[in-house]
Amino acid sequence: MSALPAEVPVAVVGAGQSGLAVGYHLRRAGVRCVLLDAGGEVGESWERRWDSLKLFTSAQFSGLPGLPFPGEGAHYPGKDEVVAYLRDYAARFDLPVLTGHRVLSLRRDGDGYVLTTAHGECRAGQVVIATGAFGVPRLPEFASGLSPEVHTVHTSDYRGPGQVPPGTVVVVGDGNSGRQIAVELAKTHDVVLSCSEAASPPLPQTVVGRDMFWWMSVLGVMSLPVNMQAPDPVVGDRVPELLAAGELRTVGRITGAEGAELLVADGERVKPSAVVWATGYRTDWSWLDPEMLDEDGQPRQTEGVGAVPGSYYLGLYRMRTRGSALIGFVGRDAEHVAAAIVAAQGTTTASPTAEGEPS
């Protein structure tokens, strides 16, 4: 697709893994749609991640519906492999993606929606918001108290050790991203990893020769509703062995910043030359029609089906299961949402094998 249509039955906002997955299912069902993405190319958000990033799901559990992730199943893909896969996926199934079309606003209009982009407006009968779980980088409020002489970078802008000045680096945040980066920086810097009070449960990448996600899939863990309060597990964590070898150290939760120092909950003060904020992201829904949001400013939805008729969501953190925001598991939610769209339209599902799909 080369131009923004004036009207389309279904508009999908976002052409990352969630948008592509629902686009695949909609295409199979014979539903005409358009996928609008802010990036200049499919996979651009992955391309901006740090150079050494690797998925904590193996290739066997990193594919979207209809196309296995290429390569040996036990391999853990890097970010460039993910970018190449997403671009191949969009091309393979001839998905109607329009890149460079950031949706500036989405408003309810009669029995449909109007999407405003920098290239004009598009009216849609139904909309899928598939912008994902990672929006605006989140920094703690106290970050502004840190001296500008201390080099700081959020994981969204971190690329590799070369951009971090020599000396002591404090990595604030001990989830999968923070721990991966801390392990990488430990080869070239003195690293201090700040750990939260709610410890993330460690999981090995393999158990008895099987990928951990194989076990969780077989046991049904990835299909169960999740407790939103439970922290995410850290998969394949190398921090304990580096601690034992004295190659990095940990401190408690960082609670404040004064000048060139970070304050730890137990009263310790750390004076870093650099700080990596592995403090996650927050979502920005200000572009959505206020009618679509609850009193906390979050989408009004249940398992991806919006409270406002004709609105749907995909890729939200733990939206239906623990895998709702993971590349290899979002396909289940995409199928669920596509089925709801088809049911609302009264569309008859097409043949299981669509043109362009490998048989």
Side-chain angles (χ1 to χ4, degrees), residues 24-25 27-29 64-68 89 91-95 350-359:
Y24 166 87
H25 283 296
R27 187 175 186 277
R28 280 168 57 91
L64 293 175
L67 185 66
Y89 190 90
R92 179 79 61 99
F93 298 113
D94 195 24
L95 298 180
S351 165
T353 302
E355 180 184 353
E357 178 181 349
S359 58

Side-chain angles (χ1 to χ4, degrees), residues 10 22 26 31 126-128 310 312 336-347:
V10 180
V22 77
L26 290 173
V31 177
Q126 295 168 291
V127 293
V128 182
Y312 304 87
H336 170 78
V337 165
I341 291 171
V342 170
Q345 290 189 347
T347 304

